[in-house]
Amino acid sequence: MESLYIVIPAYNEEENIEHVIHEWYPVVERHAADGRSRLLVIDDGSRDRTYQILKEYCGKYPLLETVTKPNAGHGATVLYGYHYALDHGAEYIFQTDSDGQTLPEEFEPFWEQREQYDFLIGRRWHRQDGKGRVFVTRVLRLVIQLTFKVRTEDANTPYRLMRRDTLQEVLQYVPEDFHLSNVLISVLYSKGPYRVKYLPITFRPRQGGVNSVNFRKIFRIGRQAWKEFYRIEKSLERRESAKRD
């Protein structure tokens, strides 16, 4: 049985984190792979009791693992989690978020198709997180299509299953501490010689606490990301040109 690491970034989620652990821990237990699988929660420098709660639960659940680090944002934290999982031998890496918006019962169709695809990602169907965020997703889709000449259905979905070998390849092109790392990973999988499939998922409202990203911050991150996207696309073009020569 292959080992599975479920990677969950967490920042100031004391209201949600216990519920998220209770929901996702049984998934890891079902795919324990002789004790090598883990529910990995990375505390991104929370200022509340998130990390204290995680440490308490680690004593109760042997497959739960947690680390804390200075605050660096969602993108840098998921990258940290991916590298951590790879360094500890994960054969499959799944990522979701700590706000309780995704459903663990929708995971099994992803796992059942893991051998047919390199990248399985959720497409948020009937989203319940507000019209503003739906609009941001549509704008992002357009930016990706204009910059990378590739179409992605829902590039930033926090519900993705990746194979170890292909994720290692893709991460070579993702800058350290990149804010929209999941978006770029989706783009690179879509552009590369990889098998990609979107599956519909439920996306509930945030289950507690306050979202730490406001629209002013989203705009600032997006403006910087566009510059990075352009630079990365030019780098990819040069690499492809060098290969052909």
Side-chain angles (χ1 to χ4, degrees):
M1 182 184 292
E2 304 97 335
S3 59
L4 166 69
Y5 268 60
I6 296 180
V7 174
I8 301 180
Y11 176 69
N12 289 349
E13 293 286 6
E14 64 181 6
E15 292 187 28
N16 285 322
I17 200 63
E18 294 181 54
H19 179 68
V20 169
I21 292 169
H22 289 149
E23 282 199 323
W24 284 99
Y25 191 80
V27 177
V28 176
E29 282 189 311
R30 286 199 301 273
H31 305 287
D34 299 323
R36 294 180 291 117
S37 297
R38 291 289 184 273
L39 176 60
L40 173 65
V41 186
I42 306 104
D43 173 63
D44 185 31
S46 296
R47 294 174 293 176
D48 63 5
R49 294 187 62 254
T50 298
Y51 187 55
Q52 285 76 13
I53 294 170
L54 286 167
K55 288 193 295 183
E56 292 171 8
Y57 273 88
C58 281
K60 303 175 183 177
Y61 299 113
L63 301 180
L64 173 63
E65 194 165 334
T66 187
V67 292
T68 189
K69 65 176 191 60
N71 179 256
H74 184 277
T77 304
V78 294
L79 279 180
Y80 181 98
Y82 296 155
H83 286 291
Y84 185 100
L86 291 169
D87 289 344
H88 287 76
E91 294 167 287
Y92 285 90
I93 298 91
F94 178 81
Q95 188 266 321
T96 192
D97 282 345
S98 55
D99 49 20
Q101 291 184 271
T102 59
L103 297 175
E105 53 264 36
E106 294 179 341
F107 172 79
E108 292 305 321
F110 286 72
W111 187 251
E112 290 167 1
Q113 299 181 65
R114 69 191 183 280
E115 295 181 359
Q116 286 76 47
Y117 296 95
D118 301 299
F119 183 56
L120 287 151
I121 179 171
R123 175 170 54 85
R124 290 171 283 192
W125 185 250
H126 295 309
R127 290 176 60 169
Q128 302 171 47
D129 57 337
K131 294 181 179 179
R133 289 188 170 271
V134 174
F135 173 75
V136 169
T137 297
R138 289 174 179 170
V139 171
L140 179 61
R141 184 186 303 135
L142 178 60
V143 169
I144 289 170
Q145 192 163 2
L146 291 173
T147 307
F148 291 100
K149 309 300 188 293
V150 66
R151 180 171 176 80
T152 56
E153 293 185 39
D154 198 351
N156 205 29
T157 305
Y159 209 97
R160 52 187 60 213
L161 180 65
M162 298 160 284
R163 297 168 58 93
R164 174 187 181 84
D165 53 350
T166 59
L167 181 59
Q168 286 178 316
E169 295 172 358
V170 165
L171 286 179
Q172 297 177 54
Y173 303 99
V174 183
E176 187 177 351
D177 297 336
F178 191 63
H179 282 294
L180 297 180
S181 55
N182 267 353
V183 173
L184 183 54
I185 287 169
S186 298
V187 168
L188 293 168
Y189 268 110
S190 298
K191 283 182 70 71
Y194 303 114
R195 302 165 296 172
V196 176
K197 184 175 183 179
Y198 284 83
L199 295 174
I201 64 163
T202 305
F203 204 66
R204 300 177 289 185
R206 167 175 274 275
Q207 299 299 290
V210 178
N211 197 311
S212 61
V213 179
N214 57 44
F215 284 102
R216 182 177 297 177
K217 187 173 181 180
I218 288 174
F219 177 77
R220 186 173 68 251
I221 291 172
R223 184 172 57 186
Q224 180 62 34
W226 191 326
K227 297 177 183 177
E228 288 289 326
F229 283 165
Y230 182 79
R231 182 184 62 79
I232 291 165
E233 172 61 11
K234 292 303 177 184
S235 174
L236 292 173
E237 288 178 358
R238 288 193 295 271
R239 286 174 182 267
E240 287 303 315
S241 178
K243 288 179 182 179
R244 289 193 295 271
D245 294 341

